[in-house]
Amino acid sequence: MTDTFVVSEETLWDALHDVPDPELPHISLIDLGVILRVELDTQAAFARVLLMPTFLGCPALEMMRDMIRERLEQFDITVQVDVTDEQIWTSDRISEEGRRKLEEAGIAPPAPNNQNNTIMLLEPAPCPHCGSRKTSLESAFGPTLCRAIAHCRDCKQPFEQFKPL
Ligand SMILES: [Zn+2]
């Protein structure tokens, strides 16, 4: 029975690199660190993906599930995406590359941190345009639940800040 079925877990992880965060299209779900696990049953041609939610109520979650399913179903497998609270996502899970891409996109990446997993008060991040630390938060409600708008007092430019968890 060495027939047909050849997709490997590794291939699935690779494919997930193609799936962007719907909120932050510059970085992939892998860079964001939200995929906890991929469980592949090759005999059943079935994969289960465990997704860690980044923000409670973040509307992107449903979209992420659809995108993951769509991407992995290209391997002719049945895909189930489950949101898990087995482990809590923190911004520490964002990869180096993810941080760099966020910065390039003009979004201040969350400071690598954080003592615990409780929701913190949002602190203004350094300006991604000029690096100034003289920034203030304009609104705790950015364009989405996941982002906030901050403002740089040096270069006078607004920028988006990724809300840390
Ligand atoms: Zn600035």
Side-chain angles (χ1 to χ4, degrees):
M1 296 274 289
T2 51
D3 222 358
T4 57
F5 199 69
V6 285
V7 75
S8 69
E9 227 171 87
E10 228 177 330
T11 308
L12 298 183
W13 279 104
D14 277 352
L16 288 173
H17 273 286
D18 301 341
V19 182
D21 177 357
E23 297 283 338
L24 306 158
H26 318 278
I27 83 172
S28 75
L29 296 185
I30 297 287
D31 286 330
L32 195 60
V34 292
I35 309 289
L36 178 63
R37 212 159 54 232
V38 176
E39 297 166 355
L40 176 65
D41 181 339
T42 46
Q43 292 197 328
F46 172 80
R48 178 166 179 252
V49 177
L50 291 174
L51 180 65
M52 304 160 80
T54 48
F55 305 98
L56 275 185
C58 187
L61 203 54
E62 273 309 306
M63 223 183 288
M64 283 187 196
R65 296 173 75 153
D66 290 347
M67 287 161 81
I68 291 170
R69 217 177 292 130
E70 228 165 83
R71 180 66 186 91
L72 297 189
E73 276 171 356
Q74 291 170 13
F75 298 103
D76 282 328
I77 54 177
T78 307
V79 180
Q80 181 184 325
V81 182
D82 289 331
V83 176
T84 178
D85 56 7
E86 200 178 297
Q87 209 175 305
I88 306 290
W89 181 89
T90 71
S91 49
D92 289 346
R93 289 183 58 93
I94 301 177
S95 69
E96 276 303 308
E97 203 188 341
R99 284 173 191 280
R100 199 174 39 76
K101 287 181 192 160
L102 283 176
E103 251 172 275
E104 279 169 13
I107 297 171
N113 71 339
N114 269 329
Q115 52 283 39
N116 55 39
N117 293 322
T118 56
I119 294 173
M120 304 180 313
L121 285 176
L122 205 49
E123 278 182 47
C127 172
H129 305 296
C130 71
S132 165
R133 293 201 156 258
K134 282 190 226 154
T135 61
S136 49
L137 276 179
E138 209 122 279
S139 150
F141 302 96
T144 73
L145 290 173
C146 312
R147 286 186 275 173
I149 301 292
H151 189 85
C152 176
R153 294 201 294 275
D154 276 335
C155 73
K156 314 281 184 226
Q157 291 200 71
F159 61 92
E160 289 180 44
Q161 182 175 344
F162 194 20
K163 287 182 192 169
L165 190 76

